[in-house]
């Protein structure tokens, strides 16, 4: 899926791992929250950066001790009218998280400014809209 960062499409080098998937020995990996809780010790010792897929029903406060060890947090937008990820993103920034916050799912250009305002800095955008539409949306304010 195309990844938009700083108004340009970039390659996504992260590996998405499920709850039971074998992890590569090295490299940047994204794991679900349940796996992070269960395997934090091993995950924090791996070679490579650690990312997290965080559900919009999970509480950001549960990440407090993990935040310094996370380079990426992926927050879902399951529907265009589901704004829970906005609140989670804002809370994570208020808690001091400085890593990448990535929006995924039903991400739309007309919501891009709101997402930027609460702290998102990367967007899985799909191919529904051309890059020019996203670039225009990011410059509007």
């Amino acid at each position: 899926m195309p990844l938009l960062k700083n108004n340009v499409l970039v390659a996504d080098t992260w590996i998405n791992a499920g709850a039971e998937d074998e992890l590569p020995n090295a490299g940047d990996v994204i794991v679900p929250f349940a796996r992070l809780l269960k395997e934090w010790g091993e995950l924090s010792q791996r070679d490579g950066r650690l990312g997290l897929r965080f559900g919009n029903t999970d509480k950001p406060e549960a990440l407090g001790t993990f935040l310094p060890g996370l380079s990426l947090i992926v927050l879902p937008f399951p529907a265009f009218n589901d704004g829970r990820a906005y609140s989670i993103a804002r809370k994570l920034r208020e808690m001091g998280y400085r890593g990448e916050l990535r929006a995924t799912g039903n991400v739309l250009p007309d919501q891009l400014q709101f997402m930027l305002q609460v702290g998102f800095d990367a967007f899985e955008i799909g191919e529904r809209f051309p890059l020019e539409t996203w670039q225009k949306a990011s410059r509007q304010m």
Side-chain angles (χ1 to χ4, degrees):
M1 176 161 301
L3 183 62
L4 182 69
K5 290 177 74 172
N6 298 318
N7 245 0
V8 296
L9 293 178
V10 298
D12 185 1
T13 59
W14 290 82
I15 299 165
N16 272 295
E20 302 296 325
D21 294 339
E22 187 172 332
L23 298 178
N25 291 331
D28 301 337
V29 66
I30 303 168
V31 298
F33 184 44
R35 186 168 190 172
L36 179 83
L37 291 173
K38 190 169 115 181
E39 301 176 24
W40 172 249
E42 301 106 62
L43 290 169
S44 62
Q45 299 301 314
R46 299 184 62 256
D47 235 357
R49 296 179 297 169
L50 181 60
L52 171 68
R53 267 190 321 281
F54 195 66
N56 57 12
T57 58
D58 295 318
K59 303 291 182 213
E61 296 81 7
L63 292 177
T65 59
F66 302 110
L67 287 181
L70 297 172
S71 297
L72 166 69
I73 300 176
V74 180
L75 299 176
F77 283 86
F80 78 92
N81 61 352
D82 186 337
R84 292 175 287 181
Y86 288 106
S87 301
I88 294 171
R90 169 58 70 205
K91 182 65 177 174
L92 289 171
R93 293 299 190 203
E94 289 172 353
M95 291 170 61
Y97 181 67
R98 297 291 171 248
E100 180 180 317
L101 275 181
R102 183 183 298 183
T104 189
N106 202 336
V107 178
L108 301 172
D110 62 343
Q111 297 173 330
L112 187 64
Q113 282 299 318
F114 298 115
M115 291 179 185
L116 289 166
Q117 289 174 15
V118 298
F120 285 99
D121 48 16
F123 310 89
E124 290 181 3
I125 60 171
E127 299 187 13
R128 182 173 168 194
F129 300 96
L131 177 59
E132 296 78 29
T133 301
W134 290 101
Q135 290 172 327
K136 183 179 177 188
S138 72
R139 288 190 292 269
Q140 295 175 350
M141 201 64 176

